[in-house]
Amino acid sequence: MKIFKTAEALHNEWLKLRKRHISIGFVPTMGALHDGHIALVQEAKLHNPFVITSIFVNPTQFNNAQDFKLYPISVEDDLNHLEDAGCDAVFLPSVDEIYPPDFKAPIYPLGYLETVLEGAYRPGHFQGVCQVVDRLLQIVQPDEMLLGRKDFQQCKVIEKMVELKNYPTRLTLVDTLRETDGLAMSSRNRRLTTDQRQRAPLIYKALLSVKNKLHTKDVNTIIINEIRNLEESGFKVDYLQLANAFNLEPLQQWNGENAVILVAAYLDNIRLIDNIEIEGKPS
Ligand code: PAF
């Protein structure tokens, strides 16, 4: 597995691959890899002979300095997992490589998408995500980029940025991988204490409970009950919401459209997010 630390070195490799018409799959990550990331690499490998993963903890997407400071880092382990998964190359840039001194942060017109849910609770977060993914796409120039559906709103935002910037890169969204008790895999799970880890799957149970009652009751009442249950179990809930899966506008009731139920909640200072997509009924 090749390791590139500079955009220039990666570009030389890119030229060689292009000469041989080899397609490139790309998995952007912030490291602390888990099986969900590895599933993205494996999926990328099915479609592309050459797969690159980036590991870069992007400072501009953290709206909370403490969260940035505590973000888990395990580069050695990550490299071993990537090698085992058949990843061909890793891009491990420095902050200066991604944001050179003359870098001017563009403003992405994301509109409504960045004002709700994660956008409302983490101001500036999606601008930071767009900045880094935009830079990575300029550098890596992949044929395909793979993202996890656990970050549902992030997928929507990146789709929009790719469209705004007219990148030819194809986006593939991969299903969330869960632990046996339902907890969505996430790098932040590593920070959970044993007690928190036992309670963490309750956010998935809340999502399932809303999903299972969508047909029968007023959605707001169901959601209020589930928020209360989570809070009684020690969570601080930012949101639990049913939304239109296309534009993320909130839904007061489900009328058979493609929808998504999204949740973000803290256990102590660890913020967990998850979602379940609801397939629309044929009209
Ligand atoms: O989902 C993540 O890990 C990050 O937000 C991403 C897409 C790698 C950008 O830093």
Side-chain angles (χ1 to χ4, degrees), residues 243-245 251 253-260 278-281:
N244 179 302
L251 294 174
Q253 58 182 40
W254 186 56
N255 293 316
E257 61 274 81
N258 284 332
V260 55
I278 315 284
E279 206 179 316
K281 290 192 253 178

Side-chain angles (χ1 to χ4, degrees), residues 28-30 37 56 58 61 71 129 132-133 147 151 154 158:
T29 82
M30 298 206 297
H37 293 113
F56 178 67
N58 173 36
Q61 72 186 76
Y71 200 83
V129 168
V132 73
V133 177
L147 301 166
D151 298 302
Q154 170 171 278
I158 294 177

Side-chain angles (χ1 to χ4, degrees), residues 210 213-225 242 251-254:
V210 176
K213 292 177 200 149
L214 273 185
H215 301 269
T216 52
K217 274 202 216 161
D218 162 42
V219 175
N220 277 338
T221 311
I222 301 165
I223 287 179
I224 289 166
N225 285 341
L242 176 69
L251 294 174
Q252 304 310 322
Q253 58 182 40
W254 186 56

Side-chain angles (χ1 to χ4, degrees), residues 56 58 91 93-100 103 132 135-136 139:
F56 178 67
N58 173 36
F91 183 41
S94 65
V95 174
D96 276 357
E97 196 65 31
I98 296 293
Y99 302 121
F103 175 78
V132 73
R135 281 291 291 140
L136 290 167
I139 296 168

Side-chain angles (χ1 to χ4, degrees), residues 185-218:
M185 291 188 187
S186 162
S187 305
R188 287 187 174 83
N189 293 352
R190 295 186 188 196
R191 293 181 44 215
L192 297 168
T193 62
T194 311
D195 167 61
Q196 289 168 341
R197 175 63 190 82
Q198 271 168 7
R199 282 180 289 144
L202 290 173
I203 66 168
Y204 180 57
K205 295 219 170 74
L207 290 172
L208 284 177
S209 172
V210 176
K211 178 182 174 188
N212 292 335
K213 292 177 200 149
L214 273 185
H215 301 269
T216 52
K217 274 202 216 161
D218 162 42

